[in-house]
Amino acid sequence: DRGLGTHPKTTLTYDLAGKFTRFEAVVGLDAVSGKLGRAAVRLLVDGKEVPLPDLKTLAAGDARAISVELKGAKELVLVIDFGPAGDVQADVNWGNARLLSE
């Protein structure tokens, strides 16, 4: 019920202003529109890619919990890209997506 719904080819950029310590979410293909799809998901913190190999080729039924350190970070970028079949059934949900501060 809470989070972000994204479609490939999407880039979301958040200005953090150093106010947050962590980003958390459960990332997976949409249960309705992503049954046969694949998507490539990347996160960048201050321009540097965060190593999240489980999200490189996200497939149906592969929801992954992520927790990314943000202490002092100025910018968070979520990148959702096409999988092997293009944008066919590649909608990605970021369940319970949240920015945490101390």
Side-chain angles (χ1 to χ4, degrees), residues 15-22 70-74 100-102:
D15 180 7
L16 304 176
K19 296 179 183 177
F20 301 96
T21 57
R22 186 158 295 288
L70 296 177
K71 199 171 217 174
K74 307 245 183 287
L100 304 171
S101 59
E102 292 185 273

Side-chain angles (χ1 to χ4, degrees), residues 68-93:
V68 176
E69 175 70 35
L70 296 177
K71 199 171 217 174
K74 307 245 183 287
E75 181 180 79
L76 172 66
V77 179
L78 311 179
V79 180
I80 302 85
D81 209 344
F82 301 124
D87 68 349
V88 176
Q89 294 195 6
D91 295 334
V92 175
N93 290 332

Side-chain angles (χ1 to χ4, degrees), residues 2-100:
R2 294 189 177 164
L4 304 167
T6 56
H7 188 75
K9 191 139 172 114
T10 298
T11 301
L12 301 171
T13 303
Y14 296 93
D15 180 7
L16 304 176
K19 296 179 183 177
F20 301 96
T21 57
R22 186 158 295 288
F23 171 70
E24 295 180 350
V26 177
V27 185
L29 290 180
D30 186 89
V32 175
S33 65
K35 291 180 182 177
L36 301 175
R38 284 182 141 339
V41 177
R42 297 183 305 133
L43 276 80
L44 292 91
V45 176
D46 290 341
K48 295 179 185 171
E49 187 167 349
V50 176
L52 297 168
D54 289 345
L55 300 184
K56 290 289 185 188
T57 55
L58 200 58
D62 265 351
R64 305 289 181 174
I66 62 167
S67 181
V68 176
E69 175 70 35
L70 296 177
K71 199 171 217 174
K74 307 245 183 287
E75 181 180 79
L76 172 66
V77 179
L78 311 179
V79 180
I80 302 85
D81 209 344
F82 301 124
D87 68 349
V88 176
Q89 294 195 6
D91 295 334
V92 175
N93 290 332
W94 302 74
N96 205 22
R98 60 195 177 271
L99 291 166
L100 304 171

